[in-house]
Structure formats: C-alpha cells, structure tokens
Amino acid sequence: MVRELKPKDQWPCFFSASDTTGEKEYEEFYVENEKVDLNRFESLGVVKNSVSVEDAKLDFFLSEIKTMKQSMNWTRTELIHLFKELLPSFTHYEKDKFLDGKM
C-alpha cells in the first residue's frame, strides 16, 4: 500500500478508538484565554499566549522537577499532580494502557 501511495505524496493513516493514557477526546493546542489567529497563514494557526503563571507556582514546579530528576525517583501520579498545580486547566485521562503497547 505504501509503495502505491508514496509516489502520489499520500500516506496511509490508521484510525482507532482513543483508549490509551494521555489521549484526549479531541486535541487542542491552546487554552480558553489565548488568542488564536487562524488567518495569518494558509494552513497554520498562531497562538498568542496571554496566559500568565504565578512566579511562586512556577518556581515551586521547577524546584520539584529538579528534585525528582536529582533523586531519579518519581511517580506518574506525582508528575500529573505537579502539572495540575501549575496549570489548573490541565487534564489527564488515566486508562492504564499506553500507546507503546497499542502499537
């Protein structure tokens, strides 16, 4: 199939149900308060970031990440919690199934 499609600049794509950890119902690359310009380029959107993070929260996040890296000891739950502390709109769907296993 790839041999037939490649000369036409086409590529096969497999669609399946979203059933692995980290996948979302739909993918968005901006959040509610950001300004999105979809007209500037023909096939590319530009996100103008207006979201601010409290310095203290960011400092805490970076300090905790540094500590985890130095100790070489952390859990997924701890990381997810840290991200939620810094980014309140951060969502994570835990399904105990990972993309590597699906492939």
Side-chain angles (χ1 to χ4, degrees):
M1 178 181 231
V2 174
R3 287 186 187 131
E4 297 166 18
L5 294 175
K6 189 175 177 183
K8 301 176 191 175
D9 285 328
Q10 297 176 339
W11 302 95
C13 185
F14 175 73
F15 294 93
S16 66
S18 177
D19 62 351
T20 58
T21 291
E23 291 184 78
K24 301 173 192 81
E25 294 174 19
Y26 59 93
E27 194 68 50
E28 57 187 359
F29 298 96
Y30 55 92
V31 294
E32 186 177 313
N33 297 329
E34 291 178 319
K35 193 173 188 179
V36 181
D37 180 353
L38 299 174
N39 299 315
R40 186 170 179 180
F41 299 103
E42 186 176 322
S43 59
L44 181 70
V46 176
V47 177
K48 298 179 179 180
N49 192 341
S50 60
V51 176
S52 62
V53 176
E54 294 174 34
D55 288 344
K57 283 186 176 183
L58 182 57
D59 289 342
F60 176 76
F61 177 86
L62 294 172
S63 173
E64 289 296 303
I65 292 292
K66 183 177 181 180
T67 300
M68 289 176 178
K69 287 173 64 178
Q70 287 173 341
S71 71
M72 303 211 29
N73 185 22
W74 62 82
T75 66
R76 291 174 50 75
T77 302
E78 290 170 327
L79 283 172
I80 292 164
H81 180 73
L82 259 182
F83 275 96
K84 286 183 178 182
E85 292 261 332
L86 181 66
L87 307 166
S89 63
F90 176 78
T91 55
H92 174 79
Y93 300 101
E94 185 61 54
K95 298 178 183 177
D96 295 321
K97 183 178 181 182
F98 301 95
L99 192 55
D100 287 351
K102 188 175 182 175
M103 294 299 168

